[in-house]
Amino acid sequence: MNHRTILNAGAALASLSVIAFAPNAFAHHPAGPGNTGASGPINTLSARVLEQGDVVAGVSIDENSFDALSDDALAEAAEAAAVAGDPEAHFHSLDSIATTSLTLSYGLTNSITVSARLPYVERTDIREGHAHEETPGVFHGETHHAGDSAGWGDLSIVAQWRFLHNEAAGTQVAVLFGVEAPTGQTHETNSEGELFDAEFQPGSDSWDYYLGVAASRGAGRWGFDASALYTLAGDGLDANLGDR
């Protein structure tokens, strides 16, 4: 058997690279080129796997820019919440999230591919609106600029098992399962030296688990792919960032 090692710079790893390995509540959906033998979908998973012994390594860059809320909108929302009886309410906004991921995928067998992803996560211009009580019963909303947060996120390891491969029909189906380990940084501080909330830390400090299915079908020069992936989020940093 010939073993091939392929460096796929500027793109994510094999068919698993598009998994939403989100380190926090803001999910990321990096794109990927498929496996070493064929192109693949951009925004969904493929059931295709690597051949045994094949290796794909790469770097993916995913950036999301947001229509950020204004300082006035954050302050007014916090003030309205305080007047309504929730003076501890805080409202957040940020300008962008950029994730640069190091990826590696290995064909364990002709039916099983194991992949790992390590992201570096950057958030810019995080702002927080909150209200303080100027006089009893009178609240004033204001916005604080918390700054940026950046650091290594959680390491994800996922296995893809292709249990159906009908070459005549061009049909493939695979299940996916894996884990996201709490390896990311969780001690980023804001402009005032206080710890950022859990959703703004590069790491989640929680064990998360993946389970999904992907199906692919070839039809001449066309390929059709569909997938579903569920992420069960654990508890970390005194918070649960929610299943995805």
Side-chain angles (χ1 to χ4, degrees):
M1 177 180 294
N2 294 325
H3 288 186
R4 296 177 293 167
T5 299
I6 298 175
L7 179 63
N8 193 358
L13 78 158
S15 56
L16 293 183
S17 62
V18 293
I19 292 179
F21 292 130
N24 48 52
F26 298 95
H28 305 288
H29 305 271
N35 57 30
T36 61
S39 61
I42 299 299
N43 290 315
T44 190
L45 292 168
S46 168
R48 302 176 184 89
V49 295
L50 295 176
E51 294 182 11
Q52 184 175 3
D54 281 2
V55 176
V56 173
V59 178
S60 64
I61 300 175
D62 181 67
E63 182 168 349
N64 295 274
S65 297
F66 305 104
D67 291 330
L69 296 173
S70 67
D71 289 354
D72 288 343
L74 292 170
E76 289 170 3
E79 185 173 322
V83 172
D86 188 7
E88 300 300 321
H90 289 69
F91 297 84
H92 298 92
S93 185
L94 73 167
D95 281 357
S96 68
I97 302 175
T99 304
T100 302
S101 299
L102 306 178
T103 57
L104 182 68
S105 187
Y106 176 70
L108 189 63
T109 72
N110 286 331
S111 300
I112 299 175
T113 294
V114 179
S115 302
R117 175 179 182 266
L118 182 62
Y120 187 84
V121 186
E122 301 174 90
R123 296 177 177 82
T124 62
D125 196 19
I126 301 169
R127 291 171 297 120
E128 176 186 274
H130 67 93
H132 61 86
E133 196 169 14
E134 294 184 328
T135 59
V138 178
F139 296 93
H140 174 70
E142 58 184 31
T143 298
H144 288 171
H145 286 249
D148 304 334
S149 172
W152 291 102
D154 294 339
L155 174 68
S156 298
I157 299 177
V158 170
Q160 178 178 0
W161 171 44
R162 184 180 61 188
F163 64 89
L164 174 64
H165 185 195
N166 187 325
E167 291 190 24
T171 301
Q172 302 181 53
V173 183
V175 294
L176 305 105
F177 49 93
V179 63
E180 182 181 282
T183 61
Q185 297 172 230
T186 57
H187 296 92
E188 286 294 293
T189 56
N190 61 24
S191 57
E192 297 181 353
E194 300 173 343
L195 282 175
F196 275 112
D197 291 339
E199 63 265 34
F200 299 120
Q201 294 291 346
S204 66
D205 196 40
S206 69
W207 287 91
D208 301 340
Y209 302 93
Y210 302 109
L211 182 62
V213 61
S216 298
R217 183 180 178 90
R221 296 171 61 88
W222 292 88
F224 301 90
D225 302 273
S227 65
L229 183 73
Y230 191 86
T231 304
L232 178 65
D235 294 329
L237 298 176
D238 296 322
N240 187 305
L241 296 177
D243 296 354
R244 299 183 294 276

